[in-house]
Amino acid sequence: MDIATLRPVINKRWSSAVLLGLLAATTLAGPVPASADDKAEPIAEPPRVQLVLDVSGSMRATDIDGRSRISVAQQAFGEVVDALPDETQLGIRVLGATYQGKDKKQGCLDTQQIVPVGAVDRAKAKAAVATLRPTGFTPVGLALREAARDLGAGATARRIVLITDGEDTCAPPDPCQVARELAAQGTTLVVDTLGLAPDEKVRRQLLCIAAATGGTYTAAQSAEDLTDRLKQLVERARDTYTTTPAKVDGTDACQDAPLLAPGVYTDRESFSEHRWYRVPVRPGQELRASVSMALDRPIKPDHGVLLRATAADGRELVRGVDAGSGRTDVVSAGLRWSATEDSDDAERDEDATPTPTASSTSAVTTVCLVVSNMFSPAAGTAADPGMPVELTVDVVAASPAPDGPDLGRGWVLLLLLTLAGLLTGLVTGLLTRWWVATWRN
Amino acid sequence: MRTLSATAAALLAAGVALAPATALAAPTPTPSPGATTVTKAGTTFLGATPLAAGQPVRVSASTGEYLYWAFPAAAGEIHEITATVALAQNRSGRSTWTVEVFDGLRRRQACTAGAQTPTADASARSVAIGCTLRRVRPWAEPWSADPLPGTYYVRLTVVEIPEPDLGLPIDVDLLVSTTGDADTSSDDGRLEAALVPPANAGTVLDTEPTVAPEAEEESGWNLSLTGWLPEAGSRWIWTTAGGVLAAVAGVVGFALTRRPSTRRVAG
């Protein structure tokens, strides 16, 4: 081996050592900065929130700390507007604020946007809220639909905060159904609901709206509760809005399923439906996939979700499954899979492709992913639109299995080697003695 | 951009790796000194609020909300999650609370100890929840469900409750503490990429990608040489020390047998 061949060896050793060190360092400190970067980077749009306030006749009732519901709501709105983060775009829509007549048809169209979604003029917004007087009907469904339109489409999640004290008096449209439709329209829309001194019917309705969109429900019993919660929700809109996952339509078979690159996707899947996707995986790469299915409607208590990865010919490679019982928001499962170096998958693919030109492409294994659910609808639950599915796909470098160690470690090893050395020394010594003795004679 | 941030992370990590984590091995979970309190919680996996181990969480919420936090874990660590939920007054019945932990692939993680799903009576003021996770492995087969380094998600919620009690205000205190040392041997393997899920929106590909024919390595010799030698590590030292000891012991053993003969020669 001459110097010319030695040098690359040294360089290679050094660079690989440096690379290994870097890799180790990134795996050690990877999680926090990586996820923070991913979340912070691509967002250019400001967070958008729309407050929807019920100003129907029932808001006159004086049952919150001895004050009327509307005055409590007005005070809370004032404080929220004052504490509003600068970058947050806020709009305010009211329902049942103007129509004083008795005609239900007319009263159920009564909803206006009093502050358009955008950078907030604090004084103006507070003045607009302060002049509200409880008046008419409660067209919650219509107001939600309009609020979603006010917020517009965008790449980020948008939030509606609905504050009401009475159930919808204008169904149809059923507000819960409206919420489900809005959530299914593709862009992420979350409706948080706040009930002012709610009764059973209101609570049911608000819980249903919140569950349908992945929002929350709060029962406000005091002015302080309401203010704190409103502030928290507006702040949460700023903190938790992220880029919306890409929308994808899974198919019912693997052959024509969409090919997915690493990233987050959303889809909808109905009861006992299967959705297929495909992910190309190169040799030496590892496929990672996870799926979450949201329970956005009343279903029977037991539920489960199954994510399977299969080869193109239908052989199962690996599965991820989770099941549960009772109250939950999403059921999730995940899996990892990597082709081993000398796996027969690639070879088999190669055999299957008759054209010699395809030999370079056959090294890419296309893995099929299928998502299925074990949900059963409760009586009267609609199957359409399907339940939200969130699919995360990642393809990373595969982690090879560790080899057995070539060297040893530990006190037992030292003891063994010492004893072996001692024994060898003794035997050599005895042999030498015997040899010297015989030689002398 | 990704590589840039990765190198930045690597540079950072060099500093971090040198300074041993001081918050380790606390017998009872206590917040690390100087850690800022987190006052937020996410409501989805994607929006989970990031935490560091030892950072206390204090957040007010509504009964029935699903609260998400995410924390990073490294190989060799054992995490313990303790939470206390201060409940609202005037509740109508018993409620059962739970803290569930998922790894970066949203796979459910088992608790080895702790009251994961305690039940509070209607009169209880608060409920304590706990969960100790398994030790994080440095490597595991793709088909196994062993805990691996990466992001972990914590979800706290109420699982059984009378419907009228939903929406009532609660206060949640939560702490993720790390116990156990991060000392793992490289012989146990290493995960090439931590289980950190991507957060970017995906793109649907039009055509199947093809593998670019990779540039052939210059020669097999260089590779096999680096492949043959075990990686640098403590095993080299142990084995070398063993060899030295064996040599010394051999000389001692040899001398033990020689001495009587020399005495005889002298006599």
Side-chain angles (χ1 to χ4, degrees):
Chain A
M1 189 183 276
D2 60 355
I3 297 170
T5 53
L6 246 174
R7 187 163 293 150
V9 172
I10 292 167
N11 285 345
K12 188 133 193 139
R13 289 273 303 278
W14 266 106
S15 58
S16 67
V18 168
L19 252 173
L20 276 174
L22 278 177
L23 259 173
T26 35
T27 35
L28 270 176
V32 182
S35 63
D37 279 0
D38 289 348
K39 271 174 196 168
E41 232 179 287
I43 290 160
E45 284 181 39
R48 306 183 118 198
V49 194
Q50 172 103 298
L51 303 181
V52 178
L53 177 64
D54 173 7
V55 202
S56 61
S58 55
M59 288 291 278
R60 268 185 233 118
T62 53
D63 55 1
I64 302 176
D65 305 341
R67 295 165 58 192
S68 74
R69 295 171 183 176
I70 187 71
S71 73
V72 168
Q74 279 168 334
Q75 185 204 331
F77 267 52
E79 289 184 35
V80 169
V81 168
D82 277 335
L84 192 70
D86 284 333
E87 71 271 28
T88 305
Q89 298 199 340
L90 182 85
I92 300 177
R93 172 170 282 278
V94 291
L95 54 103
T98 56
Y99 182 71
Q100 299 188 340
K102 295 263 185 254
D103 182 9
K104 190 175 171 187
K105 210 171 175 185
Q106 279 248 300
C108 285
L109 297 174
D110 182 13
T111 168
Q112 300 86 28
Q113 192 179 29
I114 57 168
V115 176
V117 180
V120 175
D121 179 345
R122 296 206 160 97
K124 221 172 169 181
K126 276 157 81 176
V129 172
T131 53
L132 293 172
R133 294 291 170 268
T135 321
F137 290 83
T138 318
V140 176
L142 181 71
L144 282 180
R145 218 172 252 171
E146 293 295 321
R149 198 169 300 158
D150 296 341
L151 286 166
T156 56
R158 294 154 302 142
R159 269 180 192 261
I160 293 174
V161 182
L162 172 68
I163 302 126
T164 181
D165 70 326
E167 69 171 315
D168 181 80
T169 49
C170 293
D174 172 32
C176 192
Q177 192 59 37
V178 169
R180 203 167 291 138
E181 281 164 19
L182 291 174
Q185 273 170 7
T187 44
T188 312
L189 181 75
V190 179
V191 183
D192 292 303
T193 58
L194 276 154
L196 293 174
D199 61 16
E200 196 186 328
K201 275 185 170 174
V202 180
R203 188 174 59 234
R204 286 248 165 89
Q205 185 164 81
L206 294 185
L207 277 169
C208 181
I209 292 171
T213 60
T216 61
Y217 161 74
T218 305
Q221 250 109 3
S222 68
E224 203 188 350
D225 276 0
L226 182 64
T227 311
D228 290 349
R229 185 65 180 168
L230 264 181
K231 277 186 190 163
Q232 191 184 32
L233 290 176
V234 170
E235 200 173 326
R236 198 177 273 172
R238 189 188 55 164
D239 292 333
T240 61
Y241 90 115
T242 45
T243 47
T244 314
K247 198 164 159 38
V248 68
D249 281 313
T251 54
D252 58 357
C254 183
Q255 287 80 29
D256 47 357
L259 268 176
L260 305 184
V264 190
Y265 300 86
T266 55
D267 199 356
R268 291 261 165 178
E269 181 175 285
S270 195
F271 296 103
S272 58
E273 196 187 350
H274 290 199
R275 290 254 169 180
W276 291 82
Y277 313 90
R278 287 184 299 162
V279 184
V281 183
R282 291 189 174 87
Q285 284 190 323
E286 177 180 302
L287 167 71
R288 289 173 180 176
S290 53
V291 67
S292 293
M293 271 193 83
L295 282 65
D296 68 341
R297 64 201 69 189
I299 62 159
K300 287 181 183 162
D302 297 333
H303 45 68
V305 62
L306 171 67
L307 174 66
R308 291 197 310 142
T310 69
D313 58 2
R315 285 173 301 128
E316 178 170 308
L317 301 171
V318 63
R319 62 168 63 191
V321 66
D322 194 33
S325 183
R327 207 176 161 276
T328 189
D329 57 345
V330 294
V331 192
S332 306
L335 56 82
R336 289 170 67 206
W337 179 80
S338 63
T340 40
E341 284 284 320
D342 49 357
S343 151
D344 57 353
D345 289 329
E347 289 165 30
R348 199 175 291 184
D349 286 356
E350 225 162 314
D351 295 342
T353 49
T355 49
T357 48
S359 61
S360 65
T361 60
S362 66
V364 179
T365 317
T366 304
V367 178
C368 304
L369 288 174
V370 55
V371 177
S372 52
N373 68 75
M374 289 133 266
F375 298 161
S376 49
T381 299
D384 286 315
M387 286 154 296
V389 175
E390 191 176 285
L391 182 71
T392 310
V393 174
D394 202 4
V395 180
V396 298
S399 309
D403 297 327
D406 295 318
L407 301 169
R409 196 172 68 169
W411 296 107
V412 175
L413 173 81
L414 294 196
L415 193 70
L416 179 75
L417 285 175
T418 314
L419 279 178
L422 188 68
L423 209 67
T424 316
L426 278 172
V427 168
T428 318
L430 286 170
L431 276 175
T432 318
R433 230 179 102 190
W434 171 79
W435 180 71
V436 167
T438 44
W439 177 74
R440 276 205 178 164
N441 294 340
Chain B
M1 202 61 224
R2 187 113 182 102
T3 44
L4 247 180
S5 67
T7 38
L11 286 173
L12 254 175
V16 173
L18 283 175
T22 45
L24 298 182
T28 49
T30 45
S32 342
T36 49
T37 305
V38 173
T39 55
K40 289 165 190 163
T43 52
T44 57
F45 274 109
L46 278 181
T49 304
L51 284 185
Q55 208 177 1
V57 177
R58 194 178 175 86
V59 65
S60 55
S62 295
T63 307
E65 259 193 281
Y66 299 90
L67 304 171
Y68 285 86
W69 295 277
F71 66 90
E77 294 175 348
I78 301 172
H79 291 92
E80 187 179 351
I81 296 157
T82 46
T84 311
V85 182
L87 302 168
Q89 302 307 301
N90 311 320
R91 283 170 295 122
S92 59
R94 289 151 63 91
S95 53
T96 302
W97 296 76
T98 187
V99 63
E100 289 159 299
V101 186
F102 300 88
D103 72 357
L105 293 179
R106 304 190 186 177
R107 297 182 293 188
R108 186 179 293 277
Q109 295 296 304
C111 295
T112 57
Q116 197 187 356
T117 52
T119 300
D121 287 329
S123 57
R125 287 295 184 90
S126 71
V127 60
I129 315 170
C131 176
T132 305
L133 296 170
R134 291 180 288 171
R135 183 187 290 274
V136 178
R137 312 266 193 281
W139 178 88
E141 285 187 306
W143 292 265
S144 79
D146 286 341
L148 288 167
T151 306
Y152 279 76
Y153 293 101
V154 180
R155 175 169 76 189
L156 189 150
T157 191
V158 63
V159 282
E160 270 171 51
I161 191 164
E163 201 191 71
D165 291 350
L166 285 171
L168 295 177
I170 50 166
D171 282 305
V172 178
D173 279 289
L174 182 126
L175 180 68
V176 179
S177 51
T178 313
T179 55
D181 52 351
D183 177 35
T184 51
S185 164
S186 62
D187 303 318
D188 300 331
R190 192 166 48 81
L191 201 63
E192 292 292 337
L195 290 187
V196 180
N200 61 302
T203 43
V204 178
L205 305 171
D206 298 329
T207 52
E208 277 192 49
T210 54
V211 169
E214 279 174 34
E216 286 291 316
E217 296 291 336
E218 294 150 41
S219 75
W221 282 103
N222 300 351
L223 260 182
S224 62
L225 191 61
T226 43
W228 274 23
L229 285 174
E231 283 183 43
S234 58
R235 282 176 194 270
W236 280 98
I237 300 162
W238 280 102
T239 314
T240 313
V244 170
L245 280 178
V248 170
V251 171
V252 168
F254 188 80
L256 279 177
T257 58
R258 288 289 289 175
R259 205 174 297 145
S261 69
T262 49
R263 201 184 297 155
R264 203 187 296 162
V265 169

